[in-house]
Amino acid sequence: MLIAVFLPLIFACLIPFLSKWKQKVHTGWFVLPIPFSIFLFLILKVGKQFSPISQSYNWIPSLDINFDLYLDGLGLLFGLLISGIGTLVVLYSIYYLHKTEQLGHFYVYLLMFMAAMLGVVFSDNVYALYSFWELTSFSSFLLIGYWNHRSGSRYGALKSMLITVFGGLSLLAGLILLTIVTDTTSIQSMIDQKDTIMNSPYFGWILGFVFLGAFTKSAQFPFHIWLPDAMEAPTPVSAYLHSATMVKAGIFLVARFLPILSLSEWFFVVVSGIGIITLCWGSFMAVRQTDLKGILAFSTISQLGMIMSMLGFGTDAAIFAAVFHILNHATFKGSLFMVAGIVDHETGTRDIRKLGGLMTFMPITATLALFGTFSMAGVPLPFLNGFYSKEMFFKYSLELGEYSGIAQGLATAIPFLAVLGSIFTFVYSMYLVFGTFRGEYKKEELPQKPHEAPIGMLISPIILVIGIIVIGLFPHLVNGSFLAHAAEAISGHESHKHISFWHGFVTPLFMSLAVVGLGTLLVLTRKRWNSIYNVIPGKLSFNRVYDWLVDRTERFSSKITKTYMTGSLKLYVQLILIAIIFGTISMIVITNGINLDATDLAKIRLPELLVVGMMVLASIATIFTNNRIAAILILGVVGYGLSILFVLYRAPDLALTQLIIETVTVALFLLVFMHLPKLEKRNESKGSIFMNAAISISFGGMMTLVGISSYTSKWFDPISDYFLETSKSLGGGSNVVNVILVDMRGLDTLFEIAVLGIAALGIYGMIKLRRKKEAK
Amino acid sequence: MEIITSMLAGILFATGIYNLLQKQMLRIIIGTALLSHGAHLFILTMGKLKRGKPPILVEGVEKYVDPLPQALILTSIVISFGVTSFLLVLAYRASLLNETDNMEELRGSDYE
């Protein structure tokens, strides 16, 4: 099974070599056997006596992150969809993409996506699941942006990336919480620990995060906005990713975690509520689109909403219906996307306003579209699979249990909303098929003269349509051996349901008839009520919210950055100082750090006081003088004052060094001062002077406080006695300071010499080296 | 006495910072010099003042001043001297090249 998951990835590495011969053989032919062999491998597992298979491969065992694979009915259903439709899509793309395109890129991305998707559905380890989950987002981003020279593609790719990765990250948060709560990384053992999860304080968070992940991926309201923009991708990609596989990953996630998620009474409200809103909104918006793929995108959104709400019902029967519809939707939506691609390919446009009357030119395509759309609309014809799943949807929406509060309100509203959504589904389906293939033929508006597609392009949709009819006529073929296992894998208990072929004149049938009746009425009077679209999405469109959010985030962050990253050094210094002052003072206050203890102080003497007073005066005077020389000399006064203090405090070496260095520094200052501009008074506003003064005074005050309080709280004796004792015996010198400098802590001195050397070299370089321009 | 020298160090810090926040380059260098004076005084004060003879071993003397802070300050003086002289030359070159010593006018050329 590991090979099945990684085969596409491994093969993707070979694609660049194979695509060199693309002028002779279309690269797609090399790719075709891959999904087909996976499909064959999986189909051999189908059967009545199916039992889950689990395998484990080490990845990071120390963190309990492994490739734990688990193949149960649900995984098998998705695996078959991925590999089966993958095969058909590859076949279709061989005829759809021309050899001049960058085929190598296309198939590498596609195989990457296939591997990721298989990984998602087969993973039992949550972290492996998450890795594959992000790989699907990533490869889908690459595929949407396949024609990266178009700005629409780039916009769509970015949008889908932002939204799905947002969801993916929140999913990760949910999975991490689940791991913490259950202390295992295996999904199956998490499900076994239901009670622990339910009683944990994080349960609400887990629910929220996992739902966010699932809803963004499956384009549920209000995160559906990325899907219509993803239609910029090549049509095989839209057919594969955005109808059959990736958008169902969220549904898969909800299904996989259903035993955990449905522990909450909110499960029904959130999943069914969001699902039914998505169903209605998606189908309502689909009627408005003029692009064939736009209609199909919103239709996908609404169908996903339907599946989601069926999962939300939570009963065994409804779960079975959801599984059934996953299969059905994949068949008819895949074929419809391919039909749209054919129409685009053979006429040069996808704009439904320009299309019409293509029936005579493309009879086969038109027939395929007819089956696809009628199945999608759930027209009550007993050989279309969409009809059964819609009937089941209606039936179980009427059989909801007893709830309280909001849930009860929702349970009462769902049948009506379901009918409403289905009416719009009927409207756009009819519009799609009749708008394209019937009506008048607009010769002038079509870029190309339409003609029937090549047979190779038609094979895939034909196979899918045959699937629609076969499932429609003989639903039991897929039921017992296949779908029942999937439903069992979700709900955890066996439920063998029969898809009723004809169930008599019961309410769901009347609901279907009502849908058809009202739908026909709406289709015929479409022009009269079309103006409603100017009012209802209008400003409430979520695309606007998204654009506004992205735009605001950019502008807001750049505004914030501009407030403090002004390029003014002074402001940065101020900010740093304020942070230091704030941090230190709050720390002093928190730890109650000030403790004055005056017992251990040296005596105050007059000469020292005089020197101190001189230094205070001199240092303050540096601020007020506007004469360069005066400022330098006053600085010298401070330095010499300090060296006198060193003398008074018994530090002969320090006094010596300080004297010399101060002299040299003053000399240096005087040397360069001729070249420095005059210290002219800069006009400063009073506020800024006050600000500077406040900062510097509080900094000085803070340092004084720190000094006093740390001085008076000495905790242990200095280590200097050791230096004094061993200076002579070990160091062989009686000047202890010098012995420390060159003997005991000689390394410091070495690097201090290095510092001086570097400074000297730097100064030399700065003075000597000139750019060529200056040298002239 | 330590309290007074602490206050002196505080004043040196305050005036140093005030100079640092000015626009003229020369003032900024003066500010850094004041700051390093403050820091040296601070280290000396923290090592306790006047607890004996200078740390040069003489027969018969029992109590000496703590030699370690002195060694530290000596290192620090030399380093700050190196940095200050480097800064000075830097300021000289910068004001020559840019024809201004106003820090507010000195901004990266790639600043939008």
Side-chain angles (χ1 to χ4, degrees):
Chain A
M1 267 172 74
L2 191 72
I3 300 169
V5 173
F6 281 97
L7 184 69
L9 269 188
I10 297 163
F11 195 74
C13 302
L14 301 176
I15 294 282
F17 305 104
L18 295 174
S19 64
K20 276 183 189 163
W21 302 309
K22 72 174 178 184
Q23 292 311 324
K24 288 183 194 149
V25 188
H26 196 287
T27 317
W29 290 114
F30 296 114
V31 179
L32 194 59
I34 305 291
F36 191 61
S37 54
I38 299 174
F39 182 73
L40 283 182
F41 167 74
L42 289 173
I43 203 128
L44 290 178
K45 310 250 185 244
V46 175
K48 278 215 157 51
Q49 267 70 47
F50 172 78
S51 60
I53 307 166
S54 88
Q55 289 172 345
S56 185
Y57 300 92
N58 278 355
W59 183 14
I60 315 175
S62 56
L63 293 177
D64 210 5
I65 297 175
N66 296 308
F67 290 115
D68 298 328
L69 302 177
Y70 184 75
L71 181 69
D72 60 355
L74 183 66
L76 190 65
L77 168 70
F78 273 90
L80 282 172
L81 280 181
I82 294 159
S83 55
I85 296 191
T87 316
L88 298 177
V89 161
V90 171
L91 183 67
Y92 176 77
S93 69
I94 293 173
Y95 292 92
Y96 185 84
L97 288 174
H98 197 257
K99 283 179 186 170
T100 49
E101 300 269 9
Q102 288 186 307
L103 293 177
H105 293 208
F106 181 78
Y107 287 109
V108 167
Y109 302 158
L110 198 71
L111 286 174
M112 211 157 95
F113 173 78
M114 199 179 286
M117 213 44 224
L118 288 170
V120 166
V121 298
F122 292 156
S123 287
D124 188 43
N125 189 295
V126 287
Y127 294 109
L129 175 85
Y130 174 73
S131 311
F132 287 119
W133 183 276
E134 288 300 26
L135 191 60
T136 63
S137 298
F138 176 65
S139 48
S140 147
F141 167 77
L142 290 172
L143 283 167
I144 296 170
Y146 177 63
W147 286 313
N148 52 24
H149 50 88
R150 296 183 189 169
S151 69
S153 288
R154 297 197 298 270
Y155 174 77
L158 183 66
K159 195 176 190 177
S160 75
M161 184 77 165
L162 282 177
I163 294 178
T164 52
V165 168
F166 163 72
L169 286 175
S170 74
L171 172 67
L172 179 64
L175 296 179
I176 290 174
L177 282 180
L178 270 175
T179 323
I180 294 173
V181 169
T182 58
D183 201 25
T184 170
T185 53
S186 155
I187 297 172
Q188 293 306 319
S189 21
M190 280 174 185
I191 290 172
D192 292 340
Q193 298 189 41
K194 274 189 231 175
D195 297 335
T196 328
I197 297 172
M198 194 166 85
N199 296 326
S200 93
Y202 302 118
F203 184 51
W205 289 103
I206 293 172
L207 282 186
F209 284 136
V210 174
F211 281 143
L212 255 185
F215 290 164
T216 48
K217 198 78 164 181
S218 276
Q220 297 295 297
F221 187 88
F223 305 110
H224 61 275
I225 48 171
W226 65 267
L227 190 60
D229 282 303
M231 291 301 129
E232 292 292 333
T235 303
V237 172
S238 311
Y240 189 38
L241 274 69
H242 306 129
S243 69
T245 51
M246 185 174 103
V247 286
K248 293 216 176 88
I251 288 181
F252 171 81
L253 192 76
V254 172
R256 181 55 95 205
F257 284 100
L258 192 110
I260 295 171
L261 300 175
S262 60
L263 295 172
S264 160
E265 46 200 23
W266 281 99
F267 176 73
F268 168 68
V269 178
V270 174
V271 177
S272 288
I274 299 273
I276 204 91
I277 292 171
T278 315
L279 167 64
C280 292
W281 184 255
S283 56
F284 174 70
M285 290 295 287
V287 183
R288 183 188 184 220
Q289 306 300 314
T290 53
D291 177 23
L292 289 183
K293 281 171 83 178
I295 300 177
L296 291 175
F298 276 105
S299 139
T300 306
I301 293 169
S302 90
Q303 301 278 331
L304 292 169
M306 178 172 149
I307 300 172
M308 201 61 105
S309 64
M310 280 195 273
L311 282 177
F313 294 167
T315 57
D316 290 350
I319 288 172
F320 180 79
V323 170
F324 188 44
H325 196 64
I326 289 173
L327 178 67
N328 293 342
H329 176 249
T331 54
F332 65 71
K333 192 52 64 66
S335 67
L336 282 177
F337 265 110
M338 290 173 184
V339 164
I342 291 172
V343 170
D344 184 17
H345 206 267
E346 306 307 333
T347 62
T349 181
R350 292 198 315 245
D351 191 333
I352 201 161
R353 288 167 301 189
K354 293 183 187 169
L355 296 166
L358 295 178
M359 185 107 108
T360 46
F361 297 97
M362 314 166 90
I364 305 175
T365 319
T367 318
L368 297 174
L370 199 68
F371 280 110
T373 46
F374 273 59
S375 177
M376 177 161 79
V379 175
L381 294 171
F383 55 91
L384 296 173
N385 59 6
F387 167 61
Y388 295 117
S389 38
K390 188 138 288 183
E391 288 284 276
M392 288 163 109
F393 177 48
F394 286 151
K395 185 167 172 226
Y396 302 128
S397 73
L398 293 168
E399 289 175 4
L400 292 170
E402 289 291 312
Y403 292 98
S404 57
I406 314 170
Q408 182 55 46
L410 185 67
T412 340
I414 276 181
F416 298 101
L417 288 172
V419 171
L420 181 74
S422 303
I423 291 172
F424 280 104
T425 308
F426 185 83
V427 173
Y428 72 70
S429 304
M430 295 307 121
Y431 175 51
L432 183 70
V433 64
F434 292 118
T436 316
F437 296 102
R438 291 299 299 269
E440 53 173 324
Y441 168 50
K442 296 158 193 155
K443 197 178 174 188
E444 315 77 47
E445 292 196 40
L446 289 182
Q448 284 167 245
K449 189 172 166 18
H451 54 80
E452 188 56 84
I455 182 70
M457 218 171 188
L458 288 170
I459 295 173
S460 305
I462 287 174
I463 292 175
L464 286 172
V465 166
I466 289 172
I468 295 176
I469 298 167
V470 169
I471 299 173
L473 284 178
F474 312 105
H476 295 290
L477 272 183
V478 291
N479 181 5
S481 54
F482 180 40
L483 292 178
H485 292 305
E488 191 190 330
I490 299 175
S491 59
H493 18 88
E494 205 170 333
S495 58
H496 200 74
K497 291 288 171 246
H498 290 279
I499 306 167
S500 5
F501 203 67
W502 173 256
H503 39 63
F505 287 100
V506 285
T507 330
L509 186 69
F510 292 126
M511 284 163 88
S512 280
L513 291 175
V515 166
V516 174
L518 284 170
T520 319
L521 199 68
L522 279 179
V523 173
L524 295 176
T525 58
R526 186 157 182 270
K527 288 210 169 75
R528 297 202 185 155
W529 55 272
N530 220 2
S531 57
I532 195 176
Y533 285 106
N534 301 331
V535 188
I536 283 200
K539 287 194 173 168
L540 292 170
S541 150
F542 286 95
N543 279 315
R544 292 205 183 188
V545 176
Y546 167 83
D547 289 336
W548 183 83
L549 266 179
V550 170
D551 183 59
R552 270 307 138 101
T553 318
E554 276 175 16
R555 263 200 258 166
F556 188 61
S557 52
S558 96
K559 211 184 245 175
I560 288 186
T561 312
K562 273 182 187 158
T563 55
Y564 68 92
M565 296 298 284
T566 56
S568 154
L569 201 59
K570 185 176 140 188
L571 180 70
Y572 302 157
V573 175
Q574 283 177 334
L575 288 177
I576 293 168
L577 289 173
I578 290 172
I580 293 175
I581 294 168
F582 184 77
T584 317
I585 301 238
S586 51
M587 205 60 210
I588 290 177
V589 171
I590 289 168
T591 57
N592 205 6
I594 301 175
N595 48 342
L596 271 174
D597 172 19
T599 51
D600 193 32
L601 297 175
K603 275 182 197 156
I604 302 172
R605 303 226 174 130
L606 190 62
E608 293 158 22
L609 266 188
L610 283 177
V611 178
V612 168
M614 179 188 78
M615 286 174 72
V616 169
L617 282 180
S619 63
I620 292 173
T622 54
I623 294 169
F624 293 102
T625 176
N626 284 319
N627 187 318
R628 303 181 275 185
I629 301 190
I632 293 165
L633 291 179
I634 294 169
L635 183 63
V637 171
V638 179
Y640 292 126
L642 189 60
S643 61
I644 297 172
L645 274 188
F646 287 151
V647 173
L648 291 174
Y649 292 130
R650 316 267 158 91
D653 304 280
L654 282 188
L656 207 63
T657 321
Q658 179 68 32
L659 265 176
I660 296 167
I661 294 240
E662 197 56 39
T663 313
V664 177
T665 315
V666 170
L668 255 178
F669 267 103
L670 291 175
L671 263 178
V672 293
F673 100 104
M674 277 300 290
H675 304 282
L676 288 174
K678 291 212 167 87
L679 266 185
E680 280 152 16
K681 202 162 177 64
R682 308 266 189 231
N683 289 326
E684 293 238 30
S685 66
K686 279 205 173 137
S688 131
I689 293 176
F690 176 76
M691 185 73 186
N692 290 345
I695 290 176
S696 44
I697 289 172
S698 44
F699 189 82
M702 179 198 87
M703 287 308 285
T704 311
L705 271 183
V706 170
I708 292 172
S709 51
S710 61
Y711 180 80
T712 51
S713 55
K714 285 246 151 107
W715 287 335
F716 35 78
D717 291 328
I719 56 165
S720 300
D721 286 341
Y722 171 80
F723 294 125
L724 293 166
E725 281 161 20
T726 56
S727 167
K728 205 152 203 169
S729 54
L730 292 179
S734 47
N735 186 336
V736 186
V737 174
N738 287 2
V739 170
I740 291 177
L741 279 177
V742 298
D743 196 329
M744 294 167 170
R745 301 176 54 93
L747 215 57
D748 290 0
T749 314
L750 177 68
F751 290 109
E752 153 195 348
I753 293 167
V755 167
L756 268 191
I758 292 167
L761 279 175
I763 291 168
Y764 179 81
M766 269 198 296
I767 291 173
K768 278 286 173 191
L769 300 179
R770 291 281 190 274
R771 274 190 241 136
K772 276 179 189 160
K773 205 169 64 184
E774 289 170 62
K776 287 174 196 168
Chain B
M1 196 62 217
E2 279 86 352
I3 292 178
I4 291 174
T5 44
S6 290
M7 282 157 89
L8 174 61
I11 288 167
L12 286 174
F13 277 123
T15 50
I17 294 282
Y18 190 87
N19 273 312
L20 205 65
L21 291 173
Q22 298 303 302
K23 291 173 185 165
Q24 302 98 321
M25 243 185 254
L26 192 62
R27 276 211 192 286
I28 292 175
I29 302 170
I30 292 176
T32 54
L34 284 174
L35 276 180
S36 59
H37 288 328
H40 300 156
L41 189 63
F42 198 77
I43 301 175
L44 192 75
T45 310
M46 293 301 105
K48 292 195 178 178
L49 300 170
K50 281 217 165 170
R51 296 293 148 94
K53 295 287 171 193
I56 293 166
L57 299 177
V58 179
E59 286 292 327
V61 176
E62 280 298 306
K63 231 166 148 43
Y64 294 102
V65 187
D66 193 340
L68 191 60
Q70 297 195 10
L72 296 180
I73 295 168
L74 201 61
T75 313
S76 164
I77 287 175
V78 176
I79 289 175
S80 61
F81 164 70
V83 174
T84 307
S85 45
F86 186 82
L87 268 182
L88 262 177
V89 179
L90 193 68
Y92 156 69
R93 287 284 291 144
S95 61
L96 212 65
L97 266 178
N98 299 310
E99 289 161 0
T100 176
D101 72 330
N102 187 344
M103 287 308 289
E104 292 298 294
E105 288 170 15
L106 288 177
R107 300 194 176 193
S109 53
D110 56 350
Y111 180 74
E112 44 172 10

